[in-house]
Amino acid sequence: MTQTTLRDIETRQDGGPRPAGLGPLGWLRWGWRQLTSMRTALILLFLLAVAAAPGSYLPQRGVDPGKVTAYFQQHKELAPILDRLSLFDVYSAPWFAAIYLLLFISLAGCVIPRLGQHTRALRARPPAAPRNLGRLPYHATFTVTDAPADVLAAARATLRGYRADGTETTVAAEKGYARETGNLLFHFALLALLLAVGAGAAFGYRGNVLLNEGSGFANTVAAYDRYIPGSLVGAGDLQPFSAHLEDFAATYVTEGRTRGQASSFTAKLRYRESPESPERPYDLRVNHPLEVDGARLYLLGHGYAPVFKVTDGNGEVPWDGPVPFLPRDQITYTSEGVVKAPDAGPDQLAFLGYFFPTSGKTADGKLTSTFPAPDDPTVTLLSFKGDLGLDAGVPQSVYAIEAKGLTKIGKSTTLRPGETLELPDGAGSITFTGYREWASLQITSDPGRTWALVAAVLAIAGLLPALTVRRRRVWVRARAGDGGRTVVEVGGLTKADGDGFAPEFDEITEGLRARLRAAPPSVGDKE
Amino acid sequence: MTPSAYVAAAPAAQVNSGLAQLSDDLMIIAILVYAVALLAFTIELGYGRRRRTVAEAAEEAAPEFAGVAAAGRTTAAAGESATSAVAGAGAVTETGAAATGAPGASAASGRHGPADDAAGATHRAGAVGLAATVLGFLVHGGMVATRGLAVDRWPWGNMYEFVAAITLGAVGTFLVVAFRYRARYLGAFVLIPVLLALAINVRYLYVDAGPLVPALHSYWIAIHVTAAIIATGAFTVSGASTVMYLMADRAERKRAAGEAVKGVLGRLPGAALLDRLAHRTVVFGFPLWTFAVIAGAIWADEAWGRYWGWDPKEVWSFITWVVYAGYLHSRATAGWRGRKAAIVSLIGFACLLFNFFAVNILFSGLHSYGGV
């Protein structure tokens, strides 16, 4: 029993030297040993750290696709090259996957055999005492008047909490199995975490939807403004719930330096788990998502949707309803949007508008908003007629208009609720009838998230003993010495990296001596 | 319509300006007291005298057993306390020596002799430095507490408050180590970065006490941010210890090569001791950091609709975690122990700092609460 024996338990062996003249099986085995060696695992670990870094600097499609588009516009030459290297999708890139999969295979190749070893070690007896306890890193010798059998009984009593075994002349004791148990638990928990994250990504989905007050949605792919399904999710797998936004309310700071900042947001929802279930109310707030049938609804943002009634040149009403405007400024909630009336005749109509919740004037007399709450709602509209370009079937943003094919008519006009803008040349009119608020929701379904949490908690539970428990072995040998006295030898061994075992070892030795009411110790350090 | 839509918003809350002013004053006082402590520690480092090592002490007392006995005892005591090492050696000689024998950790690492475990040079000024650090710590703690009371919330909502809290965590960890392991020789190396950070904080990062944005209205701020702050404090002490280890290791190499080692280098404690301290503080910080990351993921799941989204802060927390995990593994890998592992640890600390400063200030992400 030497120090290296304990080290073997704690440490992985490095892959051996390159073999010469081995068959394919031999090479395979060599390769496997290389992959599962600690050095390879370490290199993979550092590679993973390096590979993760560019995703924090470059915009990522999975995080903010708009920023990726902007990057493409700014860096016309560089962006396609980076894209080919998957640098806008770092965390789903093949090379990133290759690193972590290799790392986890390496990890599995290491911890699975260790699980077997540890299970055997847990059932095994502590190893027999080495012949020469004096060679151990910790050792003590003293003599007592008690008989050897009594000494050994006392040693067992002193080593309470140790797993003890022995012969007629020795006691062998070991403690600290929790270190390896924790170590294995931690590493298996990491494997489980990877599986849970992977399963969640494959079987889950997420999507965004914008709801005006008074409108609702059913959880179908078609209802989403943006929908990102996992690779194994079909359209039929979505939970059949539905939700309806009754009212959205925000409160704002009215005084002081932080005037205009929001202090709370509440979206009053009514929802059904399925078309058959009863309708329930829920107040959706930031940090307080709604959980329905395994999916979660989050309040993401809010804004204003002014309500317009558009009358065309033929006297028909091609549009009458709310149009969501996007906030351009978070403090004043000045919002921007477009009203499109493709069904208008004889010309199609479009309006570019600004919404000011509390209208006011800037120093140079321009219209602006002075507060985010709708205290004095006002819109300004710029009108267009012509061809909206929607008939070509090319998808357009609902928040922008294609200027091509459209002619500006009239001047920018300011309206308050109830006021109507008559378009020149009998092209029609538009009435600003009022406003509603909208809330944007994110819906996520991640069936792996509970398992990921369980795995993470287990990882921490394993990490603590793996880092703090010391594995140690203590042997006590008692043999008859000169003059009817018994020579007691105590030897201790611990992982080389560990220190601070000395006080515990001293305590054991002193405890044993106190128990035996020992005579003054002999000087026998060298045998 | 990203979640950061809520970042700019803040609630109404009364700020107690008297307490806020007190907090600002306490910050300045803490800096001054720390400066005194740093001066004292520097005197100890520059003019301190190396205490007789335990081996030397034992040799005088009982020359015939000294070799083995003292070596074992040094292991026993040096990690814990220098004084008890001397007392311990006395006890050994008194009872006839050699209750415990042999080299333990230092010999196991092969290259180092027992003397590696020697504590550093000491000087009366060191005790003054430690006392001043305790005083500074209390004032600093008062500064953080009054800041929190002034705005009636946890005082970690912006960079200024983070830096104040992290440096408090670092000094706190140092004091624990200084008393528990008699490791006040770390003082100068901990206080230099702490004072630098505090000076930058007061000069460039200061913001008036104010309320938090709604996204931070969650009890998770107490859990997630506190764990991250304490872990960062522990990693800072570990970083200081690692730098000292690399210096002491160089000194020992020189000594082994027969060169004279002068100045501060010659007064440093043993490399093995510093290496163990650096390891211990990481062993304390790493599970806390793991916990902080997991708590952050739980919070993110509640606030942003996913537990992990590769936000820049998440990326760099992950990188920091991976590098420190690499450090812990490298200590158990042949060919990586010692200097290489120490450098990995310093890279981990660099990632931690980058995550804190660069990600808060340079990158836009969901963690843009820098408030600078």
Side-chain angles (χ1 to χ4, degrees), chain A residues 8-9 107-124 163 177 180-181 183-185 188 471:
Chain A
D8 290 345
I9 303 170
L107 180 60
C110 169
V111 292
I112 290 170
R114 270 168 70 167
L115 181 66
Q117 280 172 18
H118 187 57
T119 323
R120 282 193 294 281
L122 279 177
R123 280 174 301 178
R163 173 174 305 177
Y177 296 87
E180 180 68 356
T181 308
N183 209 330
L184 290 172
L185 179 62
F188 276 102
R471 188 153 182 190

Side-chain angles (χ1 to χ4, degrees), chain B residues 108-194:
Chain B
S109 62
R111 188 164 46 77
H112 304 296
D116 292 350
D117 279 326
T122 53
H123 189 281
R124 214 174 299 151
V128 175
L130 195 57
T133 311
V134 171
L135 181 66
F137 179 73
L138 293 176
V139 174
H140 192 171
M143 173 262 150
V144 171
T146 46
R147 177 92 177 180
L149 290 170
V151 287
D152 194 24
R153 61 168 167 81
W154 284 84
W156 12 97
N158 52 52
M159 285 283 278
Y160 174 74
E161 293 170 359
F162 291 148
V163 171
I166 286 169
T167 44
L168 184 70
V171 175
T173 312
F174 161 67
L175 286 177
V176 169
V177 173
F179 283 108
R180 194 163 163 195
Y181 305 121
R182 298 251 167 179
R184 77 173 187 224
Y185 44 77
L186 289 176
F189 285 78
V190 172
L191 283 184
I192 287 171
V194 162

Side-chain angles (χ1 to χ4, degrees), chain A residues 7 11 38 45 52 56 63 67 91 137 139-140 253 261-263 265 287 296 298 300 330 444 446 449 497 499 502 506, chain B residues 5-6 8 10 12 73 76 99-102 217 276 280 299 301-303 305 307 310 315-316 322 331-333 337 364:
Chain A
R7 288 210 64 85
T11 315
M38 182 66 109
L45 203 58
S56 66
V63 178
K67 276 191 190 154
Y91 308 105
H139 101 277
V253 179
Q261 297 196 327
S263 50
F265 312 100
N287 280 328
R296 296 181 123 208
Y298 297 83
L300 267 199
Q330 295 293 332
T444 53
D446 184 345
R449 52 188 277 280
D497 200 37
D499 58 291
D506 285 354
Chain B
Y6 286 134
R73 273 299 180 171
T100 37
H217 284 199
R276 278 207 302 275
R280 270 181 177 153
W299 189 7
D301 188 49
E302 276 182 15
Y307 55 82
W310 298 109
V315 172
W316 282 95
V322 163
R331 288 178 61 89
T333 307
R337 253 167 252 136
S364 72

